[in-house]
Amino acid sequence: MTEAVTPPSPSPSDPPSEALPPEKPGGSSADSADSADSAAAENAITPADIRDGAAVALLVGVAGVLLGALWVWLAPRVQYVSNGEAVFLRNTESEGRIGSDGTFLLLSAGLGALSAVAVFLWRRRGGVPLVIGLGVGSVFAALVGWRVGLWLGPTSDLVVAAGKAGKGVPFDAPMQLLAYGVLLGWPMVAILVHLGLTAVWGPKDPPAAEPWAGAYTTPDGLLPRPPQD
């Protein structure tokens, strides 16, 4: 004969066993997918972003005219003198050439920082098209400032300038950049300042959903109540 087996009675010290509530179908994966889709939609490049980047590039590039005018006004002058047959530097130990490059670099850095602040205040959320527009516009502004400075400054024809000044009369040398690397001052400062402002004061991304969120939720999406002692 077969003896009936009676299951052991639960011990009072054992915690009450409760059936885990059914997991919400697709709870965790669906929430993660929704948050990823929303983040991708927010970061997507739109035609409006491209228009903003093009507008920034155009406005910053036009600002290079101001750089050229300030360079001609503030840069130290180098002078030549003619003896009627040749043209010589009036002061061979003059540091005006180096000072001219330094003035252009400082003006470029200052205007680059101002343009970055202006772009950030206009569009705090930033974006790739905006940064590209700022960089391209800054390079164009530096080139425009250089060429405008050459155009507004003294003539580059030393023979004509010496003839107008006369023998033994000093005259200003044309504007000139000895180190073309200073043309990168505006774009480098503009990009660095803009990225710094965006990192510190720009909008932050929402925190990502925890992978275990919703693993023990009821079908209605509410967490079960903890067992009462």
Side-chain angles (χ1 to χ4, degrees), residues 200-214:
V200 176
W201 288 292
K204 307 299 182 183
D205 294 334
E210 297 293 342
W212 45 265

Side-chain angles (χ1 to χ4, degrees), residues 145-172:
W146 173 42
R147 301 308 300 180
V148 168
L150 297 182
W151 177 63
L152 293 178
T155 179
S156 59
D157 193 340
L158 297 181
V159 177
V160 174
K164 289 182 178 180
K167 182 178 179 180
V169 179
F171 59 94
D172 292 333

